[in-house]
Amino acid sequence: MRLKDLIKAVRNCKTAADERAVIAKESAFIRTQFKEENNDTRHINVSKLLYIFMLGYPAHFGQIECLKLVASNKFSDKRLGYLGIMLLLDENQEVLTLVTNSLKNDLNHSNMFNVGLALCTLGNISSVEMARDLSSEVEKLLGNSNTYIRKKAALCALRIIRKVPDLMENYVEKANKLLNEEKNHAILLTGITLLTEMCLLDKNVLNDTRKNVPRLVRILRNLITNNFSPEHDVNGVADPFLQVQILRLLRLLGHNNVEASDLMNDVLAQVATNTDNSKNVGNSILYETVLTIMNIESEKSLQVMAINILGRFLSNRDNNIKYVALTTLCQVASILTDSSSLQRHSTTIIDCIKDTDISIRKRAIDLAFILMNRQNIKVLARELLVSLETTTNEEKAKISRRLCECANRYKSNKRWEIDTVCRVLKIAGGYVEQDVINNFIRLVTNSSTELQQYTTNKLYNILNKKDDAVEAQEGLQLASIWCIGEYCDLLLQSPLDDSLANIDEDENNATITSDIPSEHDVIDLLERLLEGSHVTNKIRQYILIALVKLTNKLESDCRIRINGLISKYKTNINLELQQRAIEFNALDNLNDEIRSVVLDRMPALENTKENRKQNLASESTLLSDEQLDTNNTSNSNDLLGMIFGESTNPSTNANPKPITKSSSSSSNDIMDLLGDLQLGTSTTPALTPSNNNNSVNLPNNNAPVTNSGSNLDSLLSLGNIMQPTNSSNMTSLLNITQPSTNNISNPITPMVSSSNIMTPISATPITSIPATPFTPLSAASAIQKEENVLYYKNGLKITFEPSNENPIIVVLKTKYQADPSYVIDKINLLVAVPKSMKLQINPPSASVCTPDSPINQIIKIANPSKSPIKIRIKLSYSSNGNQVNEMFDYSSFSESLWA
């Protein structure tokens, strides 16, 4: 069967089974022919086998036959053999070593087409060993008088220096000579491509190549200004491939070099002005021109021109060009010192936010956050809130968080920020993260009494409309319930500031004024939410806290009703709700003076991390969702941390699983670099943490109690509000950090201690408070989990959060984050520790790190000797295609990790 017949038979197959039957039959026939060693039919069988391979069927049994065709003297056989080798073999197969001798013979052949076949094959599948063996032949061919051979030799040299960078110095001089061939565009193109790769691999070559900038500028100017050349014309543009490659090389040569940049400013302006942007060919050149202008030390007028070109791209009907423009604007926004030129296109960017294409919308929203400042915050926030209603559920959490952060940073006044966050909660409250709610609560607690009343009234009116879509937003319910519980007394008063009752421009000109609700109206609202279809256990917990807070603010008849609502949960299947209900009912037995202090209003919350975060984070870091300080994120979920200045999230894992062994193929790569440090390898024994059983009733009151799985957020922990109280007698009575054992016999003390309603509760139900005194959890006993910057360079930020799994095991929760416009991949992190310690590195969560997708990795260190921890790190990664290798030491660990 000839190749034509095989193709026809495959096309006539009606089902996949018929096709497999035809292929299996023909493969068996080809195997038989190969065994017969028939030289006349070998090329026919190999050609059919290559077609079978392209259909996706196995064809490995034809590899040796391809080698035999390469050894043939016929050009047709040799061409088919080399084609088969490039398809069926790769650099990792041992069979490839048999081709080396044939390649060497053909590289020295008198027929230029045979030489071209050998260079093409070597340039596609060369291994490291083959590159070393044949490098001298390729180097010699770079000086050949035949232009056909020289251009193929340049491309082959490109593969060789990628495989063996040590051989680069042999090609630098010859590569520079290729730039003299200004009349032959093929040689120019391959020579510039080779020089570009060399500049990326070696800074010394980059510095030496800068002497060619005038020549490259002259070549580029000639391409723009010379007469029409039909040989190189593509849609009216002279050799766009060569122009693009020259611009890429100029971008490398002009980066951080003023002298080279000055030489290319004029020609870049000519390219940007004279290139036709009506077709994709011209747009591709303009795109490379923009990137070159923004990456060199160009003049400000050139940068404005580049931004205007991207602005024209945004108005293009082609979505691909729009996407490229938005992506590029996001990248260059961090480079611009003056964003006024970018602000001119804000109207076009806002139009892109409304685009039907989700990819365009996402990039436009990212750019809108970058453009945001105090002057345009209201306009952009309004558009982002509109887009928030139609965006996907996955994006709502990210946009909500970033919008709230920007509202906090660029707010004109606190009322506007409160209105904006309320609208976010109303639209996407079911998707916001807990830290957004906590930050809003901190904002309210730090506001004036008039604003606190305004906020509570606004949230009350939103929920009181009985809109099912609004009540489905959990975040809105949580914030509203918290404010009602804290500021109900203000809600029941007439407005303290009439100016705050003006029209709310962010609510479609709707006023927030309404009749002052009665006490029973407030309880009716909470009762309706408590029995609503969208209620969750977390909402129930908030409502119970709000109800018990209201007993301190409402009349006695309302207290009876509230106690009745709370009593319903004394037998609830949820242990958290059950225990809270029992404790809150017990509070009713206290005298009014004690209860009023226990249920007093929460003081203003402070974020102790805020100043440090602002010093460390740049404006673009704040605006990028994935680069927000995760240290603030994790700790803001605990409002007690805002009060006491530290986190109160004790570990909930009472019996952690033993650490399993991990393997690392590259773990021994830095043994010779580590000095007296010992690398943690797979021989490290499993680290078995000690068991640490949790108990509610501790024999030692000074011992910390860990949370055994409570889901009640510490936001509800109203009892610890009394920590800042200056009254000495109340401090001794409600000393929740170290309760006195002498007071256990006092019937008031256990009730107050057990009514520490701010503390997460153990899963053990309490049926009798006097019989089983409850020891409250200590907020001060929790160990703060701080995030430390381990590495920050080339767009990659590595942070870690240390914690103790047990007294001898330290856990480093490592996080890799990429700056905006950076893509980090090929990450390889090697860690070494002193000989007295053992190390385990878990695999990373992903292989590519982008601004929207950080990577997490767990590192565990066993330190039985409890000596100071120090580590040596060898890090390699690729940042936007540029390979980076680093090695450094780190020892700034907190002594509390081993003390």
Side-chain angles (χ1 to χ4, degrees):
M1 183 185 292
R2 297 178 302 172
L3 177 60
K4 283 184 178 181
D5 298 330
L6 176 61
I7 295 173
K8 187 176 181 180
V10 170
R11 289 181 176 177
N12 289 335
C13 293
K14 296 182 179 180
T15 64
D18 293 342
E19 180 182 299
R20 287 194 296 269
V22 171
I23 297 298
K25 180 179 178 181
E26 191 60 31
S27 296
F29 174 77
I30 293 174
R31 282 192 181 93
T32 304
Q33 291 289 310
F34 284 163
K35 291 179 182 178
E36 294 177 358
E37 295 288 337
N38 190 337
N39 295 331
D40 296 332
T41 61
R42 179 177 287 126
H43 69 283
I44 299 175
N45 291 325
V46 170
S47 63
K48 290 191 292 184
L49 190 64
L50 294 182
Y51 176 71
I52 291 172
F53 173 77
M54 288 189 292
L55 291 177
Y57 295 95
H60 57 278
F61 55 88
Q63 294 172 351
I64 300 300
E65 300 302 317
C66 292
L67 297 180
K68 293 178 181 178
L69 285 177
V70 166
S72 172
N73 292 325
K74 290 184 178 180
F75 177 77
S76 58
D77 289 351
K78 194 180 291 291
R79 181 175 59 182
L80 184 61
Y82 277 128
L83 177 61
I85 287 173
M86 287 186 282
L87 288 176
L88 302 181
L89 296 178
D90 58 53
E91 61 180 278
N92 299 319
Q93 297 186 10
E94 295 182 359
V95 181
L96 193 62
T97 57
L98 302 175
V99 190
T100 304
N101 191 51
S102 297
L103 285 173
K104 188 169 185 178
N105 293 333
D106 287 331
L107 288 174
N108 294 311
H109 202 279
S110 57
N111 188 329
M112 69 175 185
F113 297 109
N114 285 358
V115 177
L117 287 175
L119 288 171
C120 185
T121 305
L122 183 61
N124 276 281
I125 61 171
S126 171
S127 62
V128 174
E129 294 77 11
M130 189 180 291
R132 292 185 184 277
D133 293 340
L134 301 178
S135 175
S136 57
E137 279 74 13
V138 176
E139 182 184 350
K140 182 170 62 177
L141 291 175
L142 271 176
N144 196 289
S145 59
N146 191 308
T147 57
Y148 173 82
I149 293 178
R150 284 211 306 278
K151 71 177 182 181
K152 287 189 174 290
L155 293 177
C156 187
L158 183 64
R159 170 84 177 196
I160 290 174
I161 63 172
R162 284 176 178 171
K163 290 295 175 183
V164 190
D166 296 342
L167 298 174
M168 188 188 309
E169 58 184 15
N170 300 333
Y171 295 96
V172 174
E173 183 180 354
K174 294 184 180 297
N176 281 287
K177 289 182 180 179
L178 294 178
L179 297 182
N180 296 326
E181 302 284 344
E182 296 187 19
K183 293 183 179 180
N184 192 312
H185 287 201
I187 293 181
L188 263 181
L189 182 60
T190 55
I192 292 173
T193 304
L194 180 59
L195 277 175
T196 302
E197 186 67 23
M198 290 179 175
C199 292
L200 288 172
L201 295 175
D202 193 335
K203 290 184 178 180
N204 293 328
V205 176
L206 177 64
N207 295 329
D208 293 340
T209 309
R210 286 198 171 102
K211 64 184 179 184
N212 292 320
V213 170
R215 183 181 302 172
L216 292 170
V217 169
R218 184 177 69 251
I219 295 172
L220 183 58
R221 182 177 287 109
N222 290 338
L223 288 172
I224 301 169
T225 58
N226 275 2
N227 295 329
F228 174 75
S229 175
E231 183 181 357
H232 307 109
D233 179 78
V234 179
N235 287 337
V237 179
D239 204 342
F241 304 101
L242 180 57
Q243 288 192 49
V244 166
Q245 205 60 45
I246 292 174
L247 288 169
R248 289 178 179 174
L249 181 55
L250 289 177
R251 183 158 70 243
L252 291 175
L253 300 178
H255 185 64
N256 293 333
N257 189 284
V258 178
E259 183 179 353
S261 299
D262 290 340
L263 293 174
M264 59 184 79
N265 277 333
D266 291 340
V267 72
L268 290 176
Q270 283 184 301
V271 174
T273 306
N274 299 333
T275 304
D276 181 20
N277 65 344
S278 61
K279 297 181 180 179
N280 275 345
V281 177
N283 288 330
S284 64
I285 295 176
L286 289 174
Y287 171 69
E288 291 295 336
T289 305
V290 168
L291 293 182
T292 303
I293 290 173
M294 302 309 298
N295 280 277
I296 67 173
E297 304 298 322
S298 57
E299 299 172 352
K300 186 177 179 180
S301 59
L302 266 183
Q303 294 183 0
V304 173
M305 183 184 296
I307 297 298
N308 291 336
I309 291 173
L310 294 176
R312 293 201 301 270
F313 282 0
L314 290 178
S315 303
N316 200 298
R317 289 179 296 178
D318 189 343
N319 279 352
N320 293 324
I321 295 178
K322 278 186 182 180
Y323 184 85
V324 167
L326 289 169
T327 304
T328 309
L329 284 172
C330 290
Q331 294 175 358
V332 304
S334 58
I335 303 174
L336 290 175
T337 55
D338 183 12
S339 63
S340 58
S341 58
L342 195 55
Q343 295 288 352
R344 296 193 194 105
H345 304 282
S346 58
T347 305
T348 311
I349 295 168
I350 290 175
D351 292 337
C352 292
I353 295 177
K354 306 172 186 177
D355 199 278
T356 55
D357 191 312
I358 187 173
S359 300
I360 301 294
R361 288 205 308 271
K362 283 184 178 180
R363 284 289 171 261
I365 288 171
D366 289 340
L367 185 56
F369 280 116
I370 295 175
L371 290 178
M372 203 169 281
N373 55 36
R374 295 186 185 277
Q375 287 70 41
N376 60 17
I377 176 69
K378 291 188 177 181
V379 176
L380 291 178
R382 188 181 299 113
E383 295 297 332
L384 291 171
L385 284 169
V386 173
S387 70
L388 191 59
E389 297 178 358
T390 58
T391 191
T392 59
N393 294 340
E394 293 79 8
E395 292 296 317
K396 283 184 177 179
K398 296 179 181 179
I399 297 175
S400 300
R401 179 181 172 186
R402 296 169 71 179
L403 184 55
C404 292
E405 290 285 343
C406 290
N408 175 260
R409 177 156 192 168
Y410 300 117
K411 60 180 179 288
S412 55
N413 53 67
K414 279 192 175 183
R415 178 194 164 171
W416 180 86
E417 182 183 0
I418 289 173
D419 287 338
T420 302
V421 179
C422 286
R423 286 201 66 190
V424 170
L425 295 177
K426 184 178 178 180
I427 297 171
Y431 307 96
V432 298
E433 300 172 359
Q434 182 64 42
D435 67 301
V436 173
I437 302 171
N438 294 346
N439 290 333
F440 174 70
I441 290 174
R442 185 175 66 242
L443 169 66
V444 175
T445 60
N446 284 277
S447 301
S448 63
T449 305
E450 291 79 9
L451 274 177
Q452 290 171 349
Q453 182 190 47
Y454 168 80
T455 306
T456 307
N457 192 18
K458 182 183 182 73
L459 293 172
Y460 173 83
N461 289 330
I462 292 175
L463 287 182
N464 204 34
K465 292 178 180 179
K466 300 181 180 180
D467 187 343
D468 189 66
V470 172
E471 291 184 8
Q473 309 300 333
E474 184 185 48
L476 176 66
Q477 286 203 46
L478 296 180
S480 303
I481 294 166
W482 190 93
C483 289
I484 291 173
E486 286 295 320
Y487 308 113
C488 181
D489 51 336
L490 299 177
L491 177 64
L492 302 177
Q493 298 176 15
S494 58
L496 301 176
D497 187 353
D498 293 335
S499 64
L500 292 177
N502 292 335
I503 291 176
D504 183 2
E505 61 180 15
D506 288 330
E507 288 287 354
N508 299 322
N509 295 333
T511 61
I512 56 95
T513 58
S514 64
D515 295 335
I516 299 174
S518 65
E519 295 180 351
H520 288 283
D521 290 338
V522 176
I523 299 177
D524 288 341
L525 174 63
L526 295 179
E527 185 176 6
R528 178 168 59 83
L529 295 178
L530 199 57
E531 299 172 355
S533 58
H534 301 289
V535 68
T536 62
N537 281 335
K538 192 170 187 178
I539 294 176
R540 291 189 182 98
Q541 293 163 4
Y542 272 62
I543 293 177
L544 288 182
I545 296 294
L547 287 171
V548 77
K549 295 279 282 187
L550 293 182
T551 60
N552 199 33
K553 300 177 175 67
L554 305 184
E555 298 297 331
S556 57
D557 59 331
C558 294
R559 285 176 55 184
I560 297 174
R561 183 180 174 190
I562 289 172
N563 287 331
L565 290 175
I566 295 175
S567 298
K568 293 179 181 180
Y569 290 88
K570 292 173 68 174
T571 57
N572 192 277
I573 191 172
N574 185 279
L575 298 180
E576 181 68 39
L577 295 173
Q578 177 192 121
Q579 187 163 350
R580 285 303 189 201
I582 294 172
E583 292 176 348
F584 295 164
N585 275 165
L587 281 176
D588 196 49
N589 298 327
L590 300 177
N591 60 55
D592 292 340
E593 182 181 356
I594 296 177
R595 189 176 63 252
S596 63
V597 177
V598 173
L599 302 177
D600 198 8
R601 182 180 297 174
M602 179 176 283
L605 303 177
E606 295 181 2
N607 185 5
T608 57
K609 305 292 181 182
E610 188 173 4
N611 293 334
R612 187 179 69 174
K613 173 186 170 182
Q614 290 179 351
N615 293 334
L616 292 176
S618 64
E619 182 174 292
S620 60
T621 305
L622 173 67
L623 297 175
S624 175
D625 176 71
E626 295 301 332
Q627 291 180 292
L628 287 168
D629 191 359
T630 54
N631 184 33
N632 183 50
T633 301
S634 60
N635 286 290
S636 63
N637 288 331
D638 181 7
L639 286 181
L640 282 179
M642 303 174 189
I643 300 175
F644 297 111
E646 57 183 52
S647 174
T648 59
N649 293 326
S651 174
T652 60
N653 188 5
N655 296 295
K657 296 180 181 179
I659 301 168
T660 57
K661 299 177 183 178
S662 64
S663 60
S664 175
S665 59
S666 59
S667 59
N668 293 322
D669 291 349
I670 57 170
M671 286 296 292
D672 55 336
L673 303 174
L674 300 178
D676 61 340
L677 298 178
Q678 181 182 25
L679 183 67
T681 63
S682 58
T683 59
T684 303
L687 307 178
T688 307
S690 60
N691 294 330
N692 200 4
N693 297 326
N694 296 334
S695 176
V696 175
N697 299 314
L698 299 177
N700 181 5
N701 287 324
N702 294 327
V705 181
T706 59
N707 185 357
S708 59
S710 170
N711 292 325
L712 180 62
D713 194 274
S714 55
L715 173 65
L716 307 177
S717 309
L718 305 181
N720 282 342
I721 297 172
M722 298 178 302
Q723 278 302 96
T725 304
N726 294 327
S727 176
S728 60
N729 59 338
M730 290 312 303
T731 303
S732 63
L733 176 63
L734 301 171
N735 187 352
I736 60 171
T737 304
Q738 292 190 7
S740 173
T741 56
N742 298 328
N743 294 333
I744 293 299
S745 59
N746 191 332
I748 296 179
T749 304
M751 286 190 290
V752 176
S753 298
S754 64
S755 61
N756 178 16
I757 52 183
M758 277 305 279
T759 336
I761 304 299
S762 169
T764 306
I766 297 179
T767 57
S768 176
I769 293 177
T772 309
F774 171 70
T775 304
L777 303 181
S778 172
S781 65
I783 299 175
Q784 181 179 1
K785 295 182 179 179
E786 293 189 2
E787 183 184 68
N788 302 272
V789 178
L790 183 65
Y791 177 85
Y792 198 176
K793 192 185 294 184
N794 301 319
L796 174 63
K797 180 181 180 182
I798 304 178
T799 59
F800 68 89
E801 183 182 292
S803 61
N804 285 99
E805 187 170 279
N806 66 24
I808 66 168
I809 298 178
V810 176
V811 180
L812 305 180
K813 295 181 180 179
T814 310
K815 187 171 186 177
Y816 303 80
Q817 297 170 277
D819 282 349
S821 77
Y822 282 89
V823 175
I824 310 297
D825 57 356
K826 300 179 183 178
I827 299 176
N828 185 23
L829 180 72
L830 301 178
V831 183
V833 296
K835 296 180 180 179
S836 61
M837 304 177 190
K838 297 295 182 181
L839 175 73
Q840 177 185 330
I841 306 178
N842 291 353
S845 60
S847 57
V848 179
C849 181
T850 64
D852 294 330
S853 302
I855 297 176
N856 298 310
Q857 189 174 22
I858 301 296
I859 301 175
K860 297 187 178 183
I861 302 174
N863 186 14
S865 61
K866 295 188 176 182
S867 56
I869 298 176
K870 60 179 179 178
I871 58 176
R872 179 167 294 174
I873 295 175
K874 183 176 183 181
L875 174 66
S876 64
Y877 59 92
S878 176
S879 176
N880 286 346
N882 299 326
Q883 188 65 28
V884 180
N885 297 290
E886 301 275 1
M887 189 169 72
F888 53 91
D889 294 341
Y890 187 89
S891 58
S892 301
F893 293 98
S894 173
E895 294 183 3
S896 61
L897 295 174
W898 62 80

PDB file of all heavy atoms in Angstrom, residues 109 168 273 281 318 432 516 535 568 581 747 866:
ATOM      1  N   HIS A 109      29.681  18.022   4.283  1.00  0.00           N
ATOM      2  CA  HIS A 109      29.361  17.602   2.916  1.00  0.00           C
ATOM      3  C   HIS A 109      29.490  18.782   1.965  1.00  0.00           C
ATOM      4  O   HIS A 109      29.302  19.944   2.344  1.00  0.00           O
ATOM      5  CB  HIS A 109      27.939  17.035   2.875  1.00  0.00           C
ATOM      6  CG  HIS A 109      27.698  16.126   1.723  1.00  0.00           C
ATOM      7  ND1 HIS A 109      27.400  16.571   0.445  1.00  0.00           N
ATOM      8  CD2 HIS A 109      27.692  14.759   1.640  1.00  0.00           C
ATOM      9  CE1 HIS A 109      27.236  15.543  -0.358  1.00  0.00           C
ATOM     10  NE2 HIS A 109      27.399  14.421   0.348  1.00  0.00           N
ATOM     11  N   MET A 168      29.287  29.871  24.447  1.00  0.00           N
ATOM     12  CA  MET A 168      28.822  31.126  23.862  1.00  0.00           C
ATOM     13  C   MET A 168      29.972  31.977  23.340  1.00  0.00           C
ATOM     14  O   MET A 168      29.866  32.614  22.283  1.00  0.00           O
ATOM     15  CB  MET A 168      28.020  31.905  24.909  1.00  0.00           C
ATOM     16  CG  MET A 168      27.324  33.138  24.356  1.00  0.00           C
ATOM     17  SD  MET A 168      26.612  34.130  25.681  1.00  0.00           S
ATOM     18  CE  MET A 168      25.688  32.892  26.570  1.00  0.00           C
ATOM     19  N   THR A 273       5.519  56.861  14.544  1.00  0.00           N
ATOM     20  CA  THR A 273       4.764  57.840  13.752  1.00  0.00           C
ATOM     21  C   THR A 273       4.413  57.319  12.376  1.00  0.00           C
ATOM     22  O   THR A 273       3.303  57.552  11.870  1.00  0.00           O
ATOM     23  CB  THR A 273       5.579  59.145  13.618  1.00  0.00           C
ATOM     24  OG1 THR A 273       5.941  59.610  14.920  1.00  0.00           O
ATOM     25  CG2 THR A 273       4.774  60.213  12.891  1.00  0.00           C
ATOM     26  N   VAL A 281      -0.282  43.718  11.005  1.00  0.00           N
ATOM     27  CA  VAL A 281       1.171  43.766  10.799  1.00  0.00           C
ATOM     28  C   VAL A 281       1.738  45.039  11.420  1.00  0.00           C
ATOM     29  O   VAL A 281       2.736  45.013  12.153  1.00  0.00           O
ATOM     30  CB  VAL A 281       1.489  43.705   9.292  1.00  0.00           C
ATOM     31  CG1 VAL A 281       2.984  43.834   9.073  1.00  0.00           C
ATOM     32  CG2 VAL A 281       0.986  42.416   8.687  1.00  0.00           C
ATOM     33  N   ASP A 318     -11.164  44.967  17.431  1.00  0.00           N
ATOM     34  CA  ASP A 318     -10.630  43.619  17.654  1.00  0.00           C
ATOM     35  C   ASP A 318     -10.359  43.422  19.153  1.00  0.00           C
ATOM     36  O   ASP A 318      -9.558  44.145  19.744  1.00  0.00           O
ATOM     37  CB  ASP A 318      -9.344  43.433  16.854  1.00  0.00           C
ATOM     38  CG  ASP A 318      -8.867  41.984  16.864  1.00  0.00           C
ATOM     39  OD1 ASP A 318      -9.329  41.210  17.729  1.00  0.00           O
ATOM     40  OD2 ASP A 318      -8.037  41.629  16.008  1.00  0.00           O
ATOM     41  N   VAL A 432     -17.679  38.140  50.125  1.00  0.00           N
ATOM     42  CA  VAL A 432     -16.546  38.863  50.699  1.00  0.00           C
ATOM     43  C   VAL A 432     -15.852  38.010  51.750  1.00  0.00           C
ATOM     44  O   VAL A 432     -16.459  37.128  52.370  1.00  0.00           O
ATOM     45  CB  VAL A 432     -16.995  40.202  51.325  1.00  0.00           C
ATOM     46  CG1 VAL A 432     -17.577  41.114  50.285  1.00  0.00           C
ATOM     47  CG2 VAL A 432     -17.988  39.967  52.456  1.00  0.00           C
ATOM     48  N   ILE A 516     -37.952  56.584  63.248  1.00  0.00           N
ATOM     49  CA  ILE A 516     -37.098  55.961  64.264  1.00  0.00           C
ATOM     50  C   ILE A 516     -37.750  54.655  64.698  1.00  0.00           C
ATOM     51  O   ILE A 516     -38.922  54.636  65.096  1.00  0.00           O
ATOM     52  CB  ILE A 516     -36.913  56.904  65.455  1.00  0.00           C
ATOM     53  CG1 ILE A 516     -36.235  58.203  65.000  1.00  0.00           C
ATOM     54  CG2 ILE A 516     -36.092  56.229  66.547  1.00  0.00           C
ATOM     55  CD1 ILE A 516     -36.132  59.246  66.088  1.00  0.00           C
ATOM     56  N   VAL A 535     -30.349  31.948  56.891  1.00  0.00           N
ATOM     57  CA  VAL A 535     -29.595  31.973  58.138  1.00  0.00           C
ATOM     58  C   VAL A 535     -28.596  30.824  58.176  1.00  0.00           C
ATOM     59  O   VAL A 535     -28.855  29.720  57.684  1.00  0.00           O
ATOM     60  CB  VAL A 535     -30.552  31.914  59.345  1.00  0.00           C
ATOM     61  CG1 VAL A 535     -31.246  30.566  59.430  1.00  0.00           C
ATOM     62  CG2 VAL A 535     -29.817  32.232  60.640  1.00  0.00           C
ATOM     63  N   LYS A 568     -34.236  29.283  73.476  1.00  0.00           N
ATOM     64  CA  LYS A 568     -34.578  28.264  72.482  1.00  0.00           C
ATOM     65  C   LYS A 568     -33.347  27.473  72.039  1.00  0.00           C
ATOM     66  O   LYS A 568     -33.471  26.350  71.551  1.00  0.00           O
ATOM     67  CB  LYS A 568     -35.216  28.918  71.260  1.00  0.00           C
ATOM     68  CG  LYS A 568     -36.586  29.537  71.520  1.00  0.00           C
ATOM     69  CD  LYS A 568     -37.127  30.173  70.244  1.00  0.00           C
ATOM     70  CE  LYS A 568     -38.485  30.822  70.484  1.00  0.00           C
ATOM     71  NZ  LYS A 568     -39.024  31.449  69.237  1.00  0.00           N
ATOM     72  N   ALA A 581     -25.964  29.960  74.510  1.00  0.00           N
ATOM     73  CA  ALA A 581     -27.296  30.230  75.055  1.00  0.00           C
ATOM     74  C   ALA A 581     -27.317  30.022  76.562  1.00  0.00           C
ATOM     75  O   ALA A 581     -27.919  30.807  77.310  1.00  0.00           O
ATOM     76  CB  ALA A 581     -28.323  29.338  74.361  1.00  0.00           C
ATOM     77  N   PRO A 747     -19.774  32.164  93.976  1.00  0.00           N
ATOM     78  CA  PRO A 747     -20.732  31.798  92.937  1.00  0.00           C
ATOM     79  C   PRO A 747     -20.790  32.790  91.795  1.00  0.00           C
ATOM     80  O   PRO A 747     -21.221  32.465  90.717  1.00  0.00           O
ATOM     81  CB  PRO A 747     -22.060  31.748  93.698  1.00  0.00           C
ATOM     82  CG  PRO A 747     -21.864  32.618  94.904  1.00  0.00           C
ATOM     83  CD  PRO A 747     -20.432  32.491  95.272  1.00  0.00           C
ATOM     84  N   LYS A 866      16.826  22.724  70.450  1.00  0.00           N
ATOM     85  CA  LYS A 866      16.302  24.068  70.712  1.00  0.00           C
ATOM     86  C   LYS A 866      17.386  25.145  70.596  1.00  0.00           C
ATOM     87  O   LYS A 866      17.481  26.062  71.405  1.00  0.00           O
ATOM     88  CB  LYS A 866      15.623  24.138  72.075  1.00  0.00           C
ATOM     89  CG  LYS A 866      14.374  23.255  72.176  1.00  0.00           C
ATOM     90  CD  LYS A 866      13.619  23.481  73.462  1.00  0.00           C
ATOM     91  CE  LYS A 866      12.336  22.650  73.485  1.00  0.00           C
ATOM     92  NZ  LYS A 866      11.534  22.881  74.700  1.00  0.00           N
TER      93      LYS A 866
END
